[in-house]
Amino acid sequence: SGRVVLSMLLITPLIKDWCYKHELEQCSPDCQVMKIHEEIGELSSALLKHDKEAIIDAIGDVYIALTVLSEQIHIDIEERLMDFQNHYYHMYHEVSKFMVEVFYPKIENLTFAVTMPNSYGKTVKDKHINDIVSALQYLSIMINLNFNDCVKTAFTEVKNRSKTRVYRNFRD
């Protein structure tokens, strides 16, 4: 686990640089939440199809989308990597049960925290991002994947995309 964190601490700044290169930090957090939901839909589809390559890519894409959102709302996602919380996840042995009972509710909590900015402070958003990063890490463990490899694979695919391919959003 320590090696994964160290490796993630090396790749996350590259993701942040890519984010700034494409000016994604200036885009709407609401649109980024939509992007996260899109990536989670791809993750769900890949899990249902047992498509290992698509699962690897989707886990990485969700983390990349979370990193961009973190930059938009001024949260240090690298601290979340250091804070891996196994919580009560060890109770889950079925991926579908974990996704429905843990992962999706955590995404909804983050969605509400980001889209209702006056109702939730930075600490609450920080906690929700921490919960999702931990859930992604645990999901990787559940299905015998290396979280770091998932992020590296996804980032290798997206890092050379043009801005129009990166982010088809509605700029404010």
Side-chain angles (χ1 to χ4, degrees), residues 79-94:
E79 286 183 21
R80 306 297 52 86
L81 291 167
M82 303 299 288
D83 245 1
F84 176 48
Q85 303 286 324
N86 201 348
H87 299 293
Y88 45 86
Y89 297 162
H90 63 279
M91 299 179 350
Y92 292 90
H93 303 289
E94 290 178 42

Side-chain angles (χ1 to χ4, degrees), residues 15 32 35-36 39 60-70 72:
I15 296 169
Q32 191 61 26
K35 181 66 176 170
I36 291 168
E39 299 300 351
D61 284 345
V62 172
Y63 179 78
I64 291 168
L66 278 171
T67 302
V68 172
L69 177 65
S70 295
Q72 292 170 340

Side-chain angles (χ1 to χ4, degrees), residues 19-30:
C19 168
Y20 285 98
K21 176 183 173 189
H22 294 287
E23 300 175 334
L24 300 180
E25 83 288 355
Q26 297 175 23
C27 296
S28 163
D30 291 350

Side-chain angles (χ1 to χ4, degrees), residues 78-120:
E78 283 133 325
E79 286 183 21
R80 306 297 52 86
L81 291 167
M82 303 299 288
D83 245 1
F84 176 48
Q85 303 286 324
N86 201 348
H87 299 293
Y88 45 86
Y89 297 162
H90 63 279
M91 299 179 350
Y92 292 90
H93 303 289
E94 290 178 42
V95 171
S96 58
K97 193 170 188 70
F98 176 76
M99 293 298 286
V100 170
E101 293 182 8
V102 176
F103 197 80
Y104 296 146
K106 291 190 180 309
I107 295 297
E108 290 309 310
N109 290 340
L110 177 65
T111 299
F112 289 121
V114 170
T115 59
M116 309 284 279
N118 297 330
S119 303
Y120 298 91

Side-chain angles (χ1 to χ4, degrees), residues 139-150:
L139 175 62
S140 299
I141 292 166
M142 281 183 81
I143 55 182
N144 297 314
L145 295 174
N146 179 300
F147 179 64
N148 184 53
D149 290 344
C150 295

Side-chain angles (χ1 to χ4, degrees), residues 16 70-71 73-77 80 122 125-126 129:
K16 288 179 174 185
S70 295
E71 290 303 295
I73 61 175
H74 311 291
I75 289 178
D76 187 357
I77 199 162
R80 306 297 52 86
K122 184 177 180 196
K125 294 173 192 170
D126 190 68
I129 287 177

